[in-house]
Amino acid sequence: MMKEQNISSSVIKRLPRYYRFLGELKKQGISRISSGELASRMKLTASQIRQDLNCFGGFGQQGYGYNVEMLYDKIADILGINIPTKAIMMGVGKLGTVVAENMDFNKLGFNLIGAFDIDPNVVGKQVASIKVSHLDELKKFCKTNKPDAAFICLPDAAVKETAQKLTELGITGFWNFSHHDIALEHPEVAVENVHFSDTLMRLSFKIKNS
Amino acid sequence: MMKEQNISSSVIKRLPRYYRFLGELKKQGISRISSGELASRMKLTASQIRQDLNCFGGFGQQGYGYNVEMLYDKIADILGINIPTKAIMMGVGKLGTVVAENMDFNKLGFNLIGAFDIDPNVVGKQVASIKVSHLDELKKFCKTNKPDAAFICLPDAAVKETAQKLTELGITGFWNFSHHDIALEHPEVAVENVHFSDTLMRLSFKIKNS
DNA sequence: TAGATTGTTAATCGATTAACAATC
DNA sequence: TAGATTGTTAATCGATTAACAATC
């Protein structure tokens, strides 16, 4: 399905947005779109859209444009949404709970199969129809269920050690809500950071410099 | 304090990370650091660090390097952390509540002064020591208190209309947790998106392509 | 067929890295 | 002073945009 070349991170970053816009077009019953029309809706250039899509294959047709539904499905494939990634939640405090219970993981290509904490007030409780286990169960759980991804909603101080443990247990992707820089120590795994405070500081900068 | 030139968004994106690392160094009691040493800790090049910092002024000293505390303070200034931005929370559901109650806004240059919702179960309740007001109060509140930033924790469908209203009431910065693309309709204001699902889809892509 | 729009190559632009003179 | 390290210019690299032949 994919050309054998490295996709630049600039392109990867734009894929979810394409997916979102195409989903919207689909919902609106639009079946066909040209790169020019899509570009004007997304405030991009038509060139960029065609270049981006052509990293993965020639999905369009000269003189016609792109079939919305087909392109939507292709991007879902590219993003790997149709092959669920098994994931575990590490840390089920307030943030971990909100994340676990409010994301539609299935629609995003994930399957949340476990949750871990050390707080006795949290261990045993039900979150997103999963029973929270004690961290002591982690090793056994991973051997049995072989999760691929971990969602890190732990206090900063606990992340370093936990990330080390998780990579040793075969985790290959981290969705990281903490400030700890997992990628520094584990360059071999995939890391996506959700740094609330970084975005907020950038907003502060932008507001004060405009 | 700042050179009169446009700072590229690549540089802006890195600033909070510099700030974080310098804070860490400060905590560790390290008072002096060279661009080379900092680069190796952050996995950047020394050149990039020196180029980035020189957008804002010559903070270093030849033969010595940078004074950690001084540089930390300078970056805080650059980010505008010392001049609190007045902000309001729009939408006090589960996500809005967690965000409001768990961020240390003061340390990040913000002052949360109001919160709005339409749900009668939420209006009137206390969140992060702020009483949640009904959306009907928004106009009056903004005229009186002149907030600069709005944190958007609303359902996607409500965002378009609310963002329109907010810009008319003088809001110049949005911290956006919804999927709605505020920047498209309001190119004049600052927008920082926290798109949970975008980062998750990117993670899916990376896991499946490594 | 004629018109439209892609896929793709070439040109431009911007960001990163390297190099080095200035200087503490 | 000699050594270290910056600030800054120049070279390289990569990403974006423009152009256009291919083709539906």
Side-chain angles (χ1 to χ4, degrees):
Chain A
M1 171 209 61
M2 190 177 316
K3 285 186 188 173
E4 280 309 322
Q5 58 173 283
N6 274 25
I7 308 300
S8 83
S9 79
S10 311
V11 175
I12 299 170
K13 277 201 195 103
R14 284 189 291 269
L15 287 176
R17 190 154 178 265
Y18 287 133
Y19 188 62
R20 226 167 342 108
F21 271 77
L22 287 162
E24 201 48 50
L25 291 172
K26 214 180 96 166
K27 238 190 240 164
Q28 289 168 28
I30 295 166
S31 65
R32 182 212 144 245
I33 195 150
S34 68
S35 58
E37 170 64 15
L38 185 57
S40 107
R41 287 176 185 247
M42 297 184 71
K43 290 216 185 164
L44 298 173
T45 62
S47 261
Q48 181 162 68
I49 291 175
R50 294 204 300 277
Q51 289 273 27
D52 283 354
L53 297 178
N54 272 86
C55 295
F56 305 102
F59 302 139
Q61 192 173 311
Q62 279 98 331
Y64 171 85
Y66 298 86
N67 178 292
V68 171
E69 183 145 10
M70 183 268 237
L71 190 53
Y72 179 79
D73 291 344
K74 286 285 182 194
I75 295 181
D77 272 351
I78 292 163
L79 289 169
I81 286 173
N82 300 316
I83 305 167
T85 298
K86 283 182 281 184
I88 54 179
M89 174 64 72
M90 303 303 295
V92 193
K94 282 171 193 168
L95 178 63
T97 304
V98 166
V99 169
E101 294 193 329
N102 290 279
M103 298 291 296
D104 193 343
F105 290 116
N106 294 334
K107 269 199 187 156
L108 298 164
F110 287 84
N111 187 9
L112 188 63
I113 60 168
F116 297 86
D117 208 301
I118 50 165
D119 182 345
N121 298 316
V122 168
V123 173
K125 100 174 181 183
Q126 205 79 5
V127 172
S129 58
I130 283 161
K131 201 176 146 203
V132 180
S133 304
H134 192 279
L135 189 62
D136 294 345
E137 310 287 324
L138 180 65
K139 191 169 176 179
K140 202 175 110 196
F141 181 93
C142 289
K143 302 260 161 175
T144 313
N145 299 287
K146 305 212 183 309
D148 310 293
F151 304 158
I152 307 298
C153 292
L154 299 165
D156 292 350
V159 177
K160 188 186 162 102
E161 195 192 332
T162 308
Q164 178 61 39
K165 209 181 290 182
L166 288 165
T167 51
E168 284 166 9
L169 292 169
I171 294 292
T172 59
F174 288 88
W175 195 31
N176 179 31
F177 286 78
S178 84
H179 290 131
H180 185 79
D181 224 309
I182 296 174
L184 280 182
E185 287 151 336
H186 302 284
E188 75 286 4
V189 301
V191 179
E192 277 291 325
N193 295 304
V194 182
H195 285 331
F196 290 67
S197 49
D198 283 19
T199 58
L200 201 49
M201 286 189 265
R202 270 178 230 136
L203 183 64
S204 171
F205 177 90
K206 286 184 185 173
I207 289 174
K208 276 131 188 164
N209 291 276
S210 59
Chain B
M1 172 208 62
M2 191 177 317
K3 287 187 187 173
E4 281 307 323
Q5 57 174 284
N6 274 24
I7 308 299
S8 82
S9 77
S10 311
V11 175
I12 299 169
K13 278 200 195 106
R14 285 189 290 268
L15 287 176
R17 188 154 179 266
Y18 287 132
Y19 189 63
R20 224 165 344 107
F21 271 77
L22 287 162
E24 200 51 47
L25 291 171
K26 214 180 97 166
K27 237 189 243 163
Q28 289 168 26
I30 296 168
S31 65
R32 183 214 142 242
I33 194 150
S34 68
S35 58
E37 169 66 14
L38 186 56
S40 105
R41 286 176 187 249
M42 297 184 70
K43 290 216 185 164
L44 298 173
T45 64
S47 260
Q48 181 161 70
I49 291 175
R50 294 204 301 278
Q51 288 274 25
D52 283 355
L53 296 178
N54 272 85
C55 295
F56 305 102
F59 303 139
Q61 192 172 311
Q62 279 99 330
Y64 171 84
Y66 299 86
N67 179 290
V68 170
E69 184 145 10
M70 183 269 236
L71 190 53
Y72 180 79
D73 291 344
K74 285 286 182 194
I75 295 182
D77 273 352
I78 292 163
L79 288 168
I81 285 173
N82 300 316
I83 305 166
T85 299
K86 283 183 281 184
I88 54 178
M89 175 64 73
M90 303 303 296
V92 193
K94 283 172 191 167
L95 179 62
T97 304
V98 167
V99 170
E101 295 194 330
N102 291 278
M103 297 292 296
D104 194 343
F105 291 117
N106 294 334
K107 270 201 186 154
L108 298 164
F110 286 84
N111 187 9
L112 188 63
I113 59 168
F116 297 86
D117 208 302
I118 50 165
D119 182 345
N121 298 315
V122 168
V123 174
K125 101 175 180 182
Q126 205 79 6
V127 172
S129 58
I130 284 162
K131 199 173 146 205
V132 180
S133 304
H134 192 278
L135 189 62
D136 293 344
E137 310 287 323
L138 180 64
K139 192 170 176 177
K140 203 174 108 197
F141 181 93
C142 289
K143 302 260 160 177
T144 312
N145 300 287
K146 306 212 183 309
D148 310 293
F151 303 160
I152 307 298
C153 292
L154 299 164
D156 292 349
V159 178
K160 188 187 163 100
E161 195 192 333
T162 308
Q164 178 61 38
K165 209 180 291 181
L166 288 165
T167 51
E168 284 166 10
L169 291 169
I171 294 292
T172 59
F174 287 88
W175 194 31
N176 178 31
F177 286 78
S178 83
H179 290 130
H180 185 79
D181 224 310
I182 296 174
L184 280 181
E185 286 151 338
H186 303 284
E188 75 284 4
V189 300
V191 180
E192 277 290 326
N193 295 305
V194 182
H195 285 331
F196 290 66
S197 51
D198 283 20
T199 58
L200 200 50
M201 285 189 267
R202 270 179 230 136
L203 183 64
S204 171
F205 178 90
K206 285 183 185 174
I207 289 175
K208 276 131 188 164
N209 292 275
S210 58

